[in-house]
Amino acid sequence: MTELVRIATTGSVDDGKSTLIGRLLFDSKQIFQDQLEAVEDASRKRGTDYIDLALLTDGLRAEREQGITIDVAYRYFATPKRKFVLADTPGHIQYTRNMVTGSSTANIALILVDARQGILEQTRRHSFLASLLGVPHLILCVNKMDLVDWSQERFDEVVEEFLQFARRLDISDLRFVPVSALEGDNVVQQSQNMPWYHGPTVLEMLEGIHIGSDQNLIDVRFPVQYVIRPQLRDYQDFRGYAGKVAGGLIKRGDEVMVLPSGFSTRVRSIETYEGQLEEAAPPMSIVITLEDDIDVSRGDMICRPNNQPHASQDIDSMLAWMSEGSSLEVGAKYAIKHTTRWGRAMVKDLQYRLDVNTLHRDESAHMLALNEIGRVRLRSTNPFFFDGYRRNRDSGSFILVDERTNVTVAAGMITGQS
Amino acid sequence: MACLQGHWGRSLVLNEYDRLKRDVVEHYPSPVPAPHLSHLRALESESIHIIREAVAESENPVLLFSGGKDSALVLRLAMKAFWPARLPFPVMHVDTGHNFDEVIEFRDRTIAELEIDLIVASVEEAIGQGRVTEETGPRASRNRLQTETLLNAIDKHRFDVVFGGARRDEEKARAKERVFSFRDEFGQWDPKNQRPELWALYNGRHRNGEHIRVFPISNWTEMDVWQYIEEEEIDLPAVYFSHRRRVFERDGMLMAESPYLTLLDGERVFEAVVRFRTVGDMTCTGGFESTASSVQDIIEEVSASRITERGASRADDRTADAAMEDRKREGYF
């Protein structure tokens, strides 16, 4: 059975990131003839003498004209074992927003460094963001090994340098691989030039990393998305609660509690189009029916009576500001969406702004502009039912929306909660 | 994956959640392993979540239904999302009038079987009313006129969410489009000014007159679609499968003989065993020789193919490298 795995890649043009992706797609035979011809054509027009695989991913007119990647681009490839969704994000500092977006759902982050340059400011920034967004697995690809004579010594230096920095981050699984994206060494095929390296290639890592434990299977969290009342003759009394399991294993017969009402009841059945299930786990979309006729609506949270999320109007978070047109200011009000629940929230306090390059905390900051990240306390009009982001990415994340423009302006990761 | 040697595989910081998992494993007798989802079931679950979210946050949704395999897939997913209730919205066909008979037959049969409402937005009618002007010449196509017809219909019916079957693997401009894609009051898409979209937190907020295009199968590939169609035994129009047909060759594709296409000099009609990889307007949908007569055959054919489905069969994408981006900006689906 093929598994679905989400990857985020970050890096700049110079790291050879697009070349690496092009290589992954090309060597795993995911690039089609017409796409390749279009890229060959475009490469010729630009006067490059090799096939510029970056042109495969840079799709918008402005990107091709300026030779840059503007937005998150999603690419797909598959092997017999896994199907990959790859969120490709540009590495320039002004695109922190895109990196945060691409990493938000990723199982694996692929970060590239140039073997000649070693760990740069942007490597630190990318790694920090992957760690902040809770990406469970990180692969550091030390690229352009062909330009450092395939030197094991140089590889070890870069790895050591990275480890020094990474100790300050919260990364649970970290792997390293020496590659040459241009030549294809250790991307899909094992390198003939680096006999000293006995580890897996990039693709072998992507295929092998165990992702089954990335989801929280302990805390039952079921945000109610939609109430289903068929009003059909065969289902006259049917009242089902549709949603996607955000945590834990939900089983038929389980005692559950509905928030905010606090009523307890049992799961009568777990329904799907295909028939009833005995149990359901994240990220399954299901419908559940309850033993008792209690009032449940969209935005409610179903959990276990002995394992409830925090219920509070005060939300502490690391907040990434994503809007060009405005900045976060203390006292401002926004619409907030957390799981399936909307509300309004006011910014009570900006404790500090974090420099994503140095991890320095600036406590004198009084606003957050585009691409800035800070620790923020919000006060909402109604209680929200949440967990810390480290414990559950679904019940620990939220977005802020500007009520005048309806634009999503910020992404929040809830910090360990009092 | 075993961690053998060197630096790779080194586990650095044991985070809070890992510690917690470990505690639980030690203290509770048997944490049940999670039911394992195949990639198709994971995609299905994501799509159902998207469809429910869009309907929960809109007043008046509609699903674009062309009779093609992608819209047949979205329809199946939508049926699943609200089961056992009926589909809580109508479907709409933007009809160029240049259809394969088999596709219209399929459309009407599906609508009747599932007891859902169909709205037909007719390009023919829009031409008659003088709202759009027909292209002329042997290469005339109504493909571009669909955009205006679609936008008029959205306006007339006051739809605020429009579901489409577009996939990100189809084309480079689509690879960068959001799942919830905001359209202004002119129906336009601004690729440089898209709303950030994180986790599964979709923002469907809009003002009167604006709408959101929602693409529930954004993350599916052509192969995923076919595999799912096979698993679910989803019915499709007959033109997808190998059949004998009178065709002529144009731009390397086999176009079906029809009253809507005029032969150019040197083009001649002949009979061939063909099938179509997409089933749009007959004037810009090309077929190719194929003996694939079942979904299984098609899966084998697609996995061996070295050409994308749009490259193989859509004359409309061949005009410029940024053809799709330009049409999408104007409001095309």
Side-chain angles (χ1 to χ4, degrees):
Chain A
M1 189 170 61
T2 328
E3 253 180 325
L4 186 69
V5 178
R6 295 171 203 261
I7 312 169
T9 56
T10 41
S12 67
V13 186
D14 309 327
D15 293 331
K17 180 198 54 162
S18 296
T19 315
L20 178 88
I21 295 168
R23 178 62 67 183
L24 273 175
L25 300 175
F26 189 72
D27 285 1
S28 60
K29 303 194 170 52
Q30 299 292 320
I31 291 175
F32 293 102
Q33 198 62 41
D34 53 327
Q35 291 174 313
L36 190 63
E37 281 165 11
V39 167
E40 282 172 348
D41 249 23
S43 300
R44 260 198 303 277
K45 275 183 205 153
R46 284 214 194 160
T48 41
D49 56 357
Y50 59 94
I51 300 170
D52 187 355
L53 293 174
L55 294 170
L56 276 170
T57 53
D58 296 341
L60 299 175
R61 193 190 287 276
E63 293 176 317
R64 283 195 304 274
E65 283 165 7
Q66 298 166 37
I68 52 156
T69 311
I70 285 176
D71 208 300
V72 185
Y74 293 90
R75 306 284 315 185
Y76 304 85
F77 63 104
T79 66
K81 285 183 196 155
R82 285 183 166 177
K83 184 220 151 120
F84 298 97
V85 177
L86 187 148
D88 179 19
T89 62
H92 325 281
I93 185 153
Q94 62 267 41
Y95 295 121
T96 292
R97 170 171 75 172
N98 294 332
M99 226 173 298
V100 167
T101 302
S103 306
S104 70
T105 50
N107 303 98
I108 302 172
L110 262 181
I111 294 182
L112 272 93
V113 296
D114 183 328
R116 295 169 304 174
Q117 313 252 16
I119 308 304
L120 300 177
E121 186 180 280
Q122 67 165 11
T123 320
R124 287 194 280 270
R125 182 169 71 245
H126 299 164
S127 314
F128 166 69
L129 290 173
S131 131
L132 180 73
L133 269 293
V135 182
H137 313 277
L138 194 153
I139 301 173
L140 191 83
C141 302
V142 182
N143 190 23
K144 307 199 182 179
M145 289 301 292
D146 51 317
L147 301 181
V148 295
D149 293 329
W150 314 104
S151 159
Q152 177 173 18
E153 229 184 312
R154 182 59 193 143
F155 175 67
D156 287 344
E157 274 171 28
V158 175
V159 166
E160 199 44 52
E161 198 187 345
F162 188 80
L163 285 171
Q164 286 303 326
F165 159 76
R167 289 210 169 86
R168 299 163 67 191
L169 303 178
D170 191 359
I171 301 170
S172 49
D173 177 23
L174 177 58
R175 295 153 203 249
F176 300 91
V177 54
V179 302
S180 167
L182 197 63
E183 311 272 335
D185 290 65
N186 286 337
V187 179
V188 173
Q189 310 286 342
Q190 200 76 38
S191 170
Q192 301 302 310
N193 295 306
M194 292 177 279
W196 48 268
Y197 176 76
H198 304 285
T201 65
V202 176
L203 187 64
E204 284 166 354
M205 283 186 184
L206 296 177
E207 280 194 306
I209 288 176
H210 175 69
I211 58 154
S213 311
D214 293 357
Q215 303 262 13
N216 179 329
L217 300 175
I218 300 157
D219 314 314
V220 170
R221 301 288 182 263
F222 187 73
V224 176
Q225 205 184 357
Y226 193 87
V227 181
I228 293 180
R229 277 171 300 168
Q231 289 157 330
L232 298 170
R233 192 174 301 151
D234 293 348
Y235 295 94
Q236 263 183 7
D237 298 322
F238 187 96
R239 192 180 167 89
Y241 305 104
K244 194 168 75 159
V245 183
L249 287 174
I250 300 176
K251 294 201 212 50
R252 192 163 62 89
D254 272 355
E255 191 182 2
V256 290
M257 175 182 267
V258 181
L259 297 173
S261 73
F263 286 119
S264 286
T265 177
R266 285 184 185 279
V267 176
R268 178 191 287 162
S269 65
I270 302 173
E271 306 276 352
T272 71
Y273 181 87
E274 282 78 25
Q276 296 192 345
L277 300 176
E278 278 304 304
E279 61 175 20
M284 293 166 68
S285 282
I286 53 165
V287 173
I288 64 177
T289 64
L290 300 175
E291 289 289 353
D292 298 292
D293 193 13
I294 53 179
D295 184 35
V296 183
S297 43
R298 173 171 165 86
D300 287 2
M301 176 71 88
I302 294 178
C303 61
R304 305 265 282 156
N306 58 358
N307 179 342
Q308 299 175 31
H310 300 281
S312 175
Q313 286 171 260
D314 293 307
I315 305 166
D316 285 323
S317 71
M318 294 303 292
L319 197 80
W321 196 256
M322 310 194 110
S323 167
E324 265 167 293
S326 65
S327 52
L328 173 119
E329 274 158 54
V330 174
K333 297 188 186 82
Y334 301 96
I336 175 172
K337 186 180 190 187
H338 168 263
T339 64
T340 57
R341 192 175 183 82
W342 283 94
R344 298 185 76 211
M346 183 200 274
V347 180
K348 295 299 280 186
D349 187 23
L350 171 62
Q351 280 139 301
Y352 57 82
R353 179 171 59 206
L354 195 70
D355 184 317
V356 292
N357 298 314
T358 61
L359 304 189
H360 173 74
R361 297 172 176 189
D362 179 1
E363 291 177 7
S364 67
H366 56 274
M367 53 92 88
L368 291 178
L370 176 64
N371 296 316
E372 292 185 337
I373 291 171
R375 191 179 159 110
V376 171
R377 167 163 279 204
L378 301 171
R379 172 90 181 161
S380 60
T381 46
N382 304 310
F384 279 81
F385 313 104
F386 54 84
D387 298 284
Y389 185 75
R390 296 270 151 218
R391 199 172 165 96
N392 189 322
R393 285 164 104 183
D394 286 326
S395 59
S397 55
F398 64 86
I399 55 171
L400 295 183
V401 173
D402 185 318
E403 291 184 301
R404 283 158 306 169
T405 61
N406 287 330
V407 169
T408 305
V409 290
M413 288 135 283
I414 300 172
T415 48
Q417 199 66 28
S418 51
Chain B
M1 162 181 275
C3 303
L4 296 173
Q5 57 165 300
H7 294 287
W8 61 274
R10 188 135 121 198
S11 196
L12 262 189
V13 191
L14 198 61
N15 70 26
E16 187 197 357
Y17 180 53
D18 274 344
R19 267 197 295 273
L20 186 105
K21 272 190 298 197
R22 199 149 305 179
D23 284 353
V24 169
V25 172
E26 281 164 12
H27 292 107
Y28 297 89
S30 72
V32 194
H36 209 62
L37 289 191
S38 72
H39 77 286
L40 290 179
R41 296 300 143 189
L43 289 170
E44 174 192 65
S45 176
E46 177 183 77
S47 302
I48 289 175
H49 174 80
I50 290 164
I51 294 168
R52 287 171 174 165
E53 206 57 14
V55 170
E57 297 202 351
S58 64
E59 307 265 304
N60 196 13
V62 68
L63 188 158
L64 294 178
F65 187 76
S66 66
K69 67 177 193 313
D70 297 314
S71 61
L73 167 62
V74 177
L75 181 59
R76 169 64 60 91
L77 293 165
M79 296 296 294
K80 288 192 174 194
F82 300 101
W83 181 92
R86 287 222 181 103
L87 199 68
F89 47 81
V91 302
M92 179 159 76
H93 181 210
V94 180
D95 180 359
T96 62
H98 295 164
N99 303 294
F100 290 97
D101 292 341
E102 296 92 329
V103 176
I104 294 300
E105 180 272 324
F106 169 76
R107 178 194 79 185
D108 294 340
R109 176 159 45 89
T110 307
I111 299 308
E113 270 170 21
L114 301 177
E115 302 180 51
I116 47 187
D117 298 326
L118 170 73
I119 295 167
V120 177
S122 163
V123 174
E124 190 86 50
E125 220 176 276
I127 294 169
Q129 293 163 352
R131 280 190 301 212
V132 294
T133 311
E134 178 108 65
E135 288 178 18
T136 52
R139 285 175 178 274
S141 163
R142 291 180 172 176
N143 193 45
R144 291 191 80 107
L145 307 184
Q146 289 180 88
T147 303
E148 198 51 37
T149 310
L150 169 67
L151 293 178
N152 284 334
I154 290 172
D155 204 39
K156 177 178 154 201
H157 296 277
R158 301 190 158 274
F159 292 125
D160 60 349
V161 152
V162 180
F163 288 108
R167 308 188 319 265
R168 285 173 175 155
D169 80 323
E170 277 180 273
E171 209 279 332
K172 283 191 285 188
R174 285 191 165 163
K176 306 216 166 173
E177 186 159 14
R178 303 289 182 262
V179 173
F180 274 49
S181 187
F182 173 78
R183 301 302 158 105
D184 65 14
E185 64 265 57
F186 301 102
Q188 296 183 105
W189 178 58
D190 181 358
K192 280 200 211 164
N193 194 18
Q194 302 190 75
R195 294 177 178 175
E197 193 165 76
L198 301 99
W199 300 291
L201 292 173
Y202 302 103
N203 173 5
R205 292 168 75 109
H206 56 275
R207 285 180 285 223
N208 256 341
E210 301 167 341
H211 72 275
I212 308 281
R213 298 280 174 92
V214 177
F215 303 108
I217 59 166
S218 288
N219 286 328
W220 296 58
T221 61
E222 184 186 15
M223 183 55 96
D224 299 328
V225 173
W226 282 114
Q227 287 173 343
Y228 190 82
I229 285 169
E230 189 188 31
E231 249 185 60
E232 296 271 316
E233 300 176 4
I234 295 174
D235 198 18
L236 290 180
V239 293
Y240 277 113
F241 304 97
S242 172
H243 58 284
R244 291 197 80 80
R245 182 182 289 270
R246 289 173 60 78
V247 295
F248 64 92
E249 195 176 331
R250 178 177 289 179
D251 301 335
M253 298 182 288
L254 298 179
M255 311 300 287
E257 183 192 32
S258 80
Y260 319 122
L261 276 170
T262 316
L263 292 183
L264 298 171
D265 272 353
E267 290 176 343
R268 58 170 192 88
V269 173
F270 58 96
E271 207 175 76
V273 175
V274 298
R275 68 175 205 87
F276 294 82
R277 246 168 119 176
T278 61
V279 296
D281 185 298
M282 287 183 89
T283 64
C284 59
T285 302
F288 56 99
E289 285 187 89
S290 167
T291 55
S293 58
S294 67
V295 175
Q296 180 62 47
D297 292 346
I298 290 174
I299 289 175
E300 276 167 36
E301 195 183 84
V302 170
S303 46
S305 170
R306 302 302 294 150
I307 298 180
T308 59
E309 63 187 335
R310 287 206 156 256
S313 55
R314 297 301 282 258
D316 46 330
D317 282 342
R318 295 190 162 195
T319 30
D321 204 13
M324 176 63 93
E325 182 183 343
D326 294 342
R327 273 178 294 141
K328 282 190 77 67
R329 281 170 177 273
E330 293 166 9
Y332 186 74
F333 19 93

